[in-house]
Amino acid sequence: MKFHDDFKAALALLPSKEKDKLLWRLIKRDELLARRLEFELLAPYDAIDKRNELAELIQDRISSVVGRRERLAAILSQFRYLSGDITRHVYITKDKIGEILLNFILLQQALQLLSNPSYLFGGRVTQKYVMYMLNKLYRTCMLVNKLHIDYHIELEDDAHKLGEIMQTNPDLMKYVKHHKFNVNWLIDFDIPDDLDEYYKAVKQQGLLK
């Protein structure tokens, strides 16, 4: 949203008390904005600490639902919720590296679950689950290309681990190859520079819907 320069100048001239009132009204209506300001002004630890906390939460939450033998549809719902947690974390902390790392960890947990033979690949729910994860995988890999190459070393281990998890599941690999994703991109940590265009082309072929 763009604002006229005259409006910005008028805001700058408001008395401090009036500015404070307006700020309080805004943050009361926007919890994410309030959390972002709270983090920037008062947080006793940095974004990496927050990232590690969320990584533990992801692992604990999935271990919990698996322990209760939840159906895959319920587990997918949990992953969607955790994806929202990652989005909120990035908005609050501006942790772009964490966005990729946390999504890699989420995908590790999600695809590791498919080693359970009770999740048949011919099932409609399983296909929906895998489709969601493949779209997330593509989009996460595209985020890698937006980072400066100096930060890539922080991502290699989790990318490699994710690729290995995928390779151990032949049924999953058939599905992955059908949807044009090359697991070697993760194993070798060599994400194509034009992956965004590649992804669009794959979707235009009627895949990943």
Side-chain angles (χ1 to χ4, degrees):
M1 182 182 296
K2 293 183 178 180
F3 297 103
H4 196 280
D5 289 341
D6 290 343
F7 175 61
K8 294 178 183 179
L11 280 177
L13 294 174
L14 283 174
S16 296
K17 285 187 177 181
E18 189 64 26
K19 288 180 184 178
D20 290 344
K21 288 180 182 178
L22 290 172
L23 178 59
W24 279 114
R25 287 180 186 174
L26 286 172
I27 63 176
K28 283 180 179 179
R29 294 182 180 183
D30 191 334
E31 183 182 354
L32 278 179
L33 175 61
R35 294 302 178 193
R36 182 168 178 171
L37 287 172
E38 182 181 43
F39 175 79
E40 291 178 354
L41 298 173
L42 300 175
Y45 37 72
D46 61 20
I48 295 177
D49 294 319
K50 288 276 192 182
R51 179 199 307 169
N52 291 338
E53 284 182 6
L54 185 50
E56 288 183 14
L57 175 65
I58 290 170
Q59 293 165 337
D60 291 345
R61 189 77 58 80
I62 299 309
S63 295
S64 175
V65 296
V66 171
R68 295 195 302 268
R69 297 183 180 180
E70 295 275 7
R71 293 185 177 182
L72 202 58
I75 296 173
L76 176 57
S77 178
Q78 192 65 238
F79 275 118
R80 290 181 186 275
Y81 185 85
L82 290 168
S83 291
D85 284 342
I86 294 172
T87 300
R88 286 187 285 274
H89 165 79
V90 176
Y91 178 82
I92 291 168
T93 65
K94 304 179 185 178
D95 182 16
K96 297 298 184 180
I97 299 173
E99 181 176 17
I100 299 169
L101 284 172
L102 289 167
N103 274 300
F104 277 155
I105 290 170
L106 186 148
L107 286 162
Q108 290 165 12
Q109 298 290 316
L111 299 180
Q112 183 71 56
L113 286 175
L114 294 175
S115 60
N116 186 327
S118 64
Y119 301 134
L120 301 176
F121 270 80
R124 184 177 179 182
V125 174
T126 307
Q127 290 182 355
K128 181 179 179 180
Y129 180 93
V130 176
M131 187 69 70
Y132 175 83
M133 297 306 166
L134 279 178
N135 274 289
K136 176 172 285 294
L137 179 58
Y138 266 107
R139 290 194 295 267
T140 301
C141 287
M142 286 188 282
L143 290 174
V144 173
N145 288 333
K146 296 180 180 180
L147 278 182
H148 191 280
I149 194 170
D150 289 348
Y151 295 113
H152 286 191
I153 192 171
E154 298 184 47
L155 308 171
E156 289 182 10
D157 287 346
D158 279 292
H160 186 82
K161 181 179 179 181
L162 176 57
E164 287 185 328
I165 288 171
M166 295 169 70
Q167 286 184 328
T168 60
N169 190 327
D171 290 324
L172 175 61
M173 285 300 295
K174 290 178 184 177
Y175 205 88
V176 168
K177 289 177 181 178
H178 177 70
H179 290 82
K180 314 292 186 181
F181 188 89
N182 187 341
V183 176
N184 288 327
W185 295 338
L186 298 171
I187 297 295
D188 301 329
F189 201 64
D190 186 16
I191 311 296
D193 292 336
D194 62 346
L195 186 60
D196 53 343
E197 294 300 323
Y198 181 90
Y199 176 62
K200 290 177 184 177
V202 172
K203 295 197 77 171
Q204 286 172 357
Q205 294 174 35
L207 302 172
L208 296 168
K209 290 185 177 179

